[in-house]
Amino acid sequence: MECRIVTIPGDGIGPEIVREACKVLDKVAQVYGHSFRYQEVLMGGCSIDAYGVPLTEEALKAARESDAVLLGAVGGDVGNSRWYDVAPNLRPEAGLLAIRKGLNLFANIRPAYLYRELAEACPLKKEIIGEGFDMVIMRELTGGLYFGERHTEEAGGVLQATDTLTYNENEIRRIAVKAFGIAMKRRKSVISVDKANVLDSSRLWRKVVEEVAKDYPEVKLEHMLVDNCAMQLVMNPGQFDVVLTENMFGDILSDEASMITGSIGMLPSASLNESRFGMYEPSHGSAPDIAGKDLANPIATVLSAAMMLRYSFDLDKEADAIESAVQKVLTEGYRTPDIMSEGCKKVGTIQMGNLIAERI
Ligand code: NAD
């Protein structure tokens, strides 16, 4: 298979971790007979330095014309960088919002998986962790409360602010279809999270999700109220496979789910549009405090590359190979400083990338 990948290393540790992910992809290409061609573009602070804006039209065009985008992270030390002495729409993170919007990436997928080897970093009690957990939070990314009409007004000397939460059935259907498609590649269970006891938008959400479920008879569908879901995530995380939810609920629940894995350097993510196109990136930021020191954990980015193979290129076997190479390296006791524990072997960013690539 031939794939054109736009890479956006970005700022801080971004270039270091994207380099390691490409190293692993190159090994996959060599072993499985594929060709991955990369085009590197600038976004974030480095684009501000070069062009005065965080994302150029040319960079967006290159991303649009590629088969998938692999992103490191953007941004600098917020309190201490000249990139933040400008209007919000010219700051590094504005590039991120612009590319998500420009590529119509409405489906955000964030897996939360507990590696047995890293169970000590999990803040939950052992009896709750049980056999561990392996879930995917599927969050609608371009609708709902964050994109509805909003205004603040004064009435009779009292300030009043209004935000509106709107979803139409098409927006719900397309994310539900993605969630059921992903469930078919996993344990075939979807828990759809809403607040249908209160909100009209949630009642429509539930109705449309049930319609979509009819096309996936093998997938078990359950509904859960968002307040209950927030509790269940810390009481019994092992029950979740695919969690499907709207924008704001997903924003909060995906952070909760990632926190219970205990290690930010391990968590990949994907944002997809209507076709198979997607942008893949670690869930963490650009970590300026450790940039350029060979200290960054590249695993979240390597696992994001595995998601790219699975969701954009349908290369499941190759994605499995990356995930099991990561698992092997952890089982053999190699750790970057952020996940280091007693008795393990400490390695840097580059060596971690080498170790994973060698095990493909
Ligand atoms: P951060 O995720 O960059 O860092 C938080 C802490 O986690 C830091 O101590 C950092 O050293 C550590 N860390 C993060 N990733 C790591 C890794 N792979 N290996 C080892 N340690 C790691 O969050 P922050 O400090 O709040 O933000 C730093 C910059 O990143 C800011 O400019 C912020 O706006 C930006 N940011 C970008 C994205 C993105 O590009 N998607 C997301 C979040 C934050």
Side-chain angles (χ1 to χ4, degrees), residues 263-327:
S263 38
I264 194 169
M266 303 289 299
L267 298 169
S269 84
S271 302
L272 308 177
N273 73 9
E274 208 104 33
S275 67
R276 293 209 326 230
F277 180 85
M279 184 162 86
Y280 300 85
E281 57 181 305
S283 294
H284 57 73
S286 60
D289 52 330
I290 56 166
K293 298 180 179 161
D294 196 39
L295 292 174
N297 185 346
I299 293 180
T301 318
V302 168
L303 292 173
S304 301
M307 289 183 83
M308 178 172 76
L309 298 185
R310 193 181 302 285
Y311 296 125
S312 282
F313 306 153
D314 246 334
L315 297 175
D316 285 350
K317 192 165 40 96
E318 290 81 345
D320 288 346
I322 295 182
E323 286 162 4
S324 61
V326 168
Q327 178 71 62

Side-chain angles (χ1 to χ4, degrees), residues 109-113 134-137 186 257-258 261 267-270 283 307 311:
I109 313 176
R110 263 168 76 169
Y113 176 79
D134 175 5
M135 74 183 93
V136 164
I137 308 275
R186 295 176 45 95
S258 63
T261 69
L267 298 169
S269 84
S283 294
M307 289 183 83
Y311 296 125

Side-chain angles (χ1 to χ4, degrees), residues 13 17 71-78 84 93 96 100 264-265 281-290 295-298 338:
I13 59 170
I17 53 182
L71 167 67
V74 297
D77 181 348
V78 179
Y84 296 91
E93 291 75 8
L96 199 57
R100 284 182 183 152
I264 194 169
E281 57 181 305
S283 294
H284 57 73
S286 60
D289 52 330
I290 56 166
L295 292 174
N297 185 346
D338 57 311

Side-chain angles (χ1 to χ4, degrees), residues 137-273:
I137 308 275
M138 190 85 195
R139 165 189 171 195
E140 203 289 328
L141 204 57
T142 55
L145 201 57
Y146 298 171
F147 289 85
E149 261 183 51
R150 73 194 72 227
H151 59 268
T152 303
E153 65 203 346
E154 198 184 303
V158 178
L159 277 176
Q160 175 171 298
T162 306
D163 295 284
T164 47
L165 200 181
T166 305
Y167 270 109
N168 70 44
E169 58 179 307
N170 299 331
E171 290 171 313
I172 302 169
R173 189 166 292 110
R174 65 184 185 176
I175 183 89
V177 167
K178 286 270 185 219
F180 280 88
I182 283 167
M184 287 295 289
K185 286 184 173 231
R186 295 176 45 95
R187 302 195 303 277
K188 300 192 172 65
S189 152
V190 170
I191 293 185
S192 173
V193 176
D194 60 37
K195 189 72 183 169
N197 52 345
V198 179
L199 302 175
D200 260 32
S201 55
S202 281
R203 283 190 276 274
L204 180 63
W205 183 276
R206 213 173 254 221
K207 177 174 177 290
V208 175
V209 170
E210 277 175 5
E211 283 166 18
V212 172
K214 289 185 187 136
D215 295 332
Y216 299 85
E218 288 172 62
V219 178
K220 181 173 164 239
L221 169 67
E222 282 175 71
H223 300 283
M224 191 178 274
L225 295 175
V226 62
D227 37 354
N228 185 26
C229 183
M231 284 194 292
Q232 295 295 328
L233 276 173
V234 290
M235 269 167 49
N236 181 12
Q239 71 186 293
F240 296 101
D241 178 16
V242 175
V243 177
L244 163 63
T245 193
E246 60 96 60
N247 201 345
M248 183 179 65
F249 298 160
D251 188 7
I252 298 165
L253 295 175
S254 63
D255 267 15
E256 188 186 358
S258 63
M259 271 319 294
I260 59 173
T261 69
S263 38
I264 194 169
M266 303 289 299
L267 298 169
S269 84
S271 302
L272 308 177
N273 73 9

Side-chain angles (χ1 to χ4, degrees), residues 1-33:
M1 186 178 216
E2 266 202 35
C3 308
R4 288 163 306 139
I5 300 167
V6 155
T7 59
I8 307 182
D11 308 312
I13 59 170
E16 300 166 62
I17 53 182
V18 167
R19 198 175 305 127
E20 297 315 307
C22 291
K23 186 187 282 175
V24 173
L25 282 173
D26 288 342
K27 185 66 186 293
V28 168
Q30 185 198 329
V31 171
Y32 292 89

